[in-house]
Amino acid sequence: MSEAKTLYQQLGEGPGIASVVDRLYELILADETLSPYFVETRLSQQKGHMAMFLAAATGGPNGYKGLDLDAAHAGRGITDADFDNVIGHAATALTEAGVDAETIGQVAGALMPLRAQVVTGEAAA
């Protein structure tokens, strides 16, 4: 009897997550509402942090050594809509990588509790 795979394993471990993260940032940077947040960001470093973060969040190794989420997003003015857009782009990147809907739902479920640490702004009236 085989053991159930972790989300990390289902996503293809390090190489699979790196591929999804690359596509995620292509989608984010093409999104006119999200791209301004990354104007002064070193993308190679950002992608590395995201890949390590996703690895840990999906049951893989925890190699993340960056700022905690509160500190990394403080003062950025990120709204609930922005957070939802990133989750949507993540779902697209995962779908394009051949990940099934149930697994995408599990990944989104792992990310949703982070909303309180990431959202630091309010939507414009």
Side-chain angles (χ1 to χ4, degrees):
M1 194 181 302
S2 65
E3 292 183 29
K5 289 184 176 182
T6 64
L7 281 175
Y8 177 71
Q9 292 167 324
Q10 291 177 52
L11 295 174
E13 299 184 355
I17 286 180
S19 177
V20 168
V21 167
D22 282 342
R23 181 61 179 140
L24 171 61
Y25 280 97
E26 287 174 8
L27 294 167
I28 287 171
L29 293 175
D31 185 322
E32 65 185 29
T33 63
L34 297 175
S35 60
Y37 290 112
F38 297 92
V39 169
E40 296 183 19
T41 300
R42 291 185 8 214
L43 275 181
S44 61
Q45 183 179 25
Q46 177 66 27
K47 287 179 181 181
H49 286 308
M50 178 63 83
M52 285 186 282
F53 178 79
L54 279 178
T58 57
N62 186 356
Y64 183 73
K65 303 285 189 255
L67 295 171
D68 69 31
L69 288 177
D70 290 316
H73 297 94
R76 304 278 314 217
I78 298 167
T79 67
D80 279 306
D82 296 328
F83 184 89
D84 291 341
N85 284 344
V86 170
I87 297 294
H89 291 316
T92 298
L94 290 163
T95 299
E96 291 175 0
V99 177
D100 62 88
E102 182 180 345
T103 303
I104 291 170
Q106 291 174 324
V107 172
L111 298 176
M112 288 306 211
L114 306 175
R115 180 183 301 270
Q117 293 173 283
V118 173
V119 173
T120 59
E122 296 180 12

